[in-house]
Amino acid sequence: MAPEPAPGRTMVPLVPALVMLGLVAGAHGDSKPVFIRVPEDQTGLSGGVASFVCQATGEPKPRITWMKKGKKVSSQRFEVIEFDDGAGSVLRIQPLRVQRDEAIYECTATNSLGEINTSAKLSVLEEEQLPPGFPSIDMGPQLKVVEKARTATMLCAAGGNPDPEISWFKDFLPVDPATSNGRIKQLRSGALQIESSEESDQGKYECVATNSAGTRYSAPANLYVRGPAAWAQSLMGIWSLLSTLVCV
């Protein structure tokens, strides 16, 4: 004879309860892809650079793929650089070619629960075709060696009409000062200031000037972060080079 439930309590059948818990857990654990950053239309300069950024979130983590005219991108001038956390990638095209690279580029984010797509258009102009106000890089970043824990400043100044917005790339990935807990800041001048420099800050930096007329990239410049001993060796090397030039 089955026991009667205690007064004031309701017995829930075990199997349906477990199924319901599983559904709730699944609902909280898995999710379809959602874009958190999408590529933007660009107008670039022949011989220059274009970068399309695409990031998505979801569970399982979405896989990002890039397509051009319905086919997966494939060229020696095309490079896909993944973010360290796997949340997205950058499609970098260099050097740009007129007509050959002009197209709609599609980013697709896929996981086991679904697929989403977004796209951006790339236009490429020759130097003589540039419209008035196309961005110019008046001063780009330069090679810099900084002692670990010191502040490094990578300079950038740009012109154009309207005034271009300046952004930064490090090792072909966009720099996001918001993720640095205030350690990395972009100054009003456009320069990138890196406080309490770490070895992870070492890399190749580019500044990018963008306005409604187009986008222009600076030449890349390396930042080296050295410990005290290596810093002293670097100074000795620079002093030796200067001495040689003076003697000549």
Side-chain angles (χ1 to χ4, degrees), residues 122-141:
L122 174 62
S123 302
V124 185
L125 301 176
E126 296 283 5
E127 188 76 42
E128 60 270 17
Q129 298 175 315
L130 297 183
F134 194 91
S136 63
I137 301 293
D138 300 330
M139 179 174 59

Side-chain angles (χ1 to χ4, degrees), residues 69-171:
K69 297 179 180 179
K71 297 181 180 180
K72 191 173 181 179
V73 294
S74 175
S75 170
Q76 291 183 346
R77 295 179 299 106
F78 288 47
E79 185 177 3
V80 176
I81 304 97
E82 304 256 346
F83 283 84
D84 292 338
D85 59 4
S89 65
V90 172
L91 173 62
R92 182 182 174 96
I93 308 170
Q94 181 185 19
L96 291 175
R97 295 287 181 258
V98 176
Q99 296 183 344
R100 188 183 304 180
D101 295 331
E102 293 184 320
I104 301 293
Y105 292 86
E106 183 176 328
C107 168
T108 301
T110 310
N111 71 7
S112 57
L113 295 184
E115 176 181 300
I116 53 175
N117 302 278
T118 186
S119 61
K121 179 182 179 181
L122 174 62
S123 302
V124 185
L125 301 176
E126 296 283 5
E127 188 76 42
E128 60 270 17
Q129 298 175 315
L130 297 183
F134 194 91
S136 63
I137 301 293
D138 300 330
M139 179 174 59
Q142 303 294 319
L143 171 68
K144 186 175 289 292
V145 180
V146 65
E147 185 178 355
K148 187 176 180 181
R150 296 295 183 93
T151 297
T153 303
M154 304 298 283
L155 301 177
C156 182
N161 187 21
D163 290 337
E165 293 185 5
I166 292 177
S167 57
W168 286 86
F169 278 71
K170 172 182 175 284
D171 295 333

